[in-house]
Amino acid sequence: METKSNVLEKAALAYGPYDLPHMYELVEGVLYDDRYFFHLETGILWLRHVRKVEHPEHTHLFIDGDSGGLQLGKNVQRDLLQVVTEVLDHIRAMNGLTFLVDELLWLEDRGDIELNLVKKKG
């Protein structure tokens, strides 16, 4: 992790709103690259895209980046920072084809996944 933006640091995510516009949940987790947030929820490791809250007193507060989350692991019972470091190392060691074939294609209970990898030319 060479640049400052790639350093893992603890942060908080304001997640919501839920049923009412003022209902939020605050979740602690680990921030990567200033926009990716890892957190544990009942033993499930989640990855979410987040946006920083621009406020001088809230330097480590983020909100959901309007995207769904990815479940990266189940039954996680270890230190979050250690787990995230291992997951990032594992992903960095893969190329795109390995990820598609070894990870996505063999997901349990997976339906069709729609990707748009073919770019139009001209």
Side-chain angles (χ1 to χ4, degrees):
M1 298 190 201
E2 300 165 1
T3 65
K4 183 181 185 315
S5 65
N6 289 342
V7 172
L8 296 175
E9 59 183 316
K10 292 187 177 185
L13 170 66
Y15 193 62
Y18 292 118
D19 295 334
L20 298 172
H22 67 280
M23 293 178 66
Y24 288 85
E25 177 181 2
L26 195 60
V27 178
E28 293 182 51
V30 174
L31 182 69
Y32 172 72
D33 199 24
D34 294 329
R35 62 181 178 254
Y36 303 108
F37 187 82
F38 295 86
H39 68 98
L40 286 172
E41 185 176 314
T42 61
I44 297 172
L45 177 64
W46 285 92
L47 170 62
R48 297 191 181 282
H49 179 258
V50 295
R51 292 180 283 151
K52 185 172 181 40
V53 171
E54 295 299 331
H55 190 281
E57 293 180 20
H58 301 290
T59 59
H60 288 74
L61 181 61
F62 294 80
I63 58 173
D64 187 67
D66 298 323
S67 65
L70 292 173
Q71 288 186 19
L72 300 178
K74 295 180 181 178
N75 302 316
V76 177
Q77 303 294 324
R78 296 187 293 132
D79 176 69
L80 179 60
L81 192 56
Q82 180 184 9
V83 170
V84 170
T85 300
E86 290 173 8
V87 167
L88 288 173
D89 288 345
H90 179 70
I91 292 170
R92 282 187 185 114
M94 290 185 201
N95 64 37
L97 184 58
T98 301
F99 178 76
L100 286 172
V101 173
D102 291 352
E103 299 296 332
L104 287 182
L105 190 61
W106 294 103
L107 289 173
E108 290 183 30
D109 301 322
R110 172 188 64 79
D112 290 340
I113 297 173
E114 184 178 332
L115 300 174
N116 189 13
L117 300 178
V118 179
K119 305 298 181 203
K120 293 182 180 178
K121 294 185 178 186

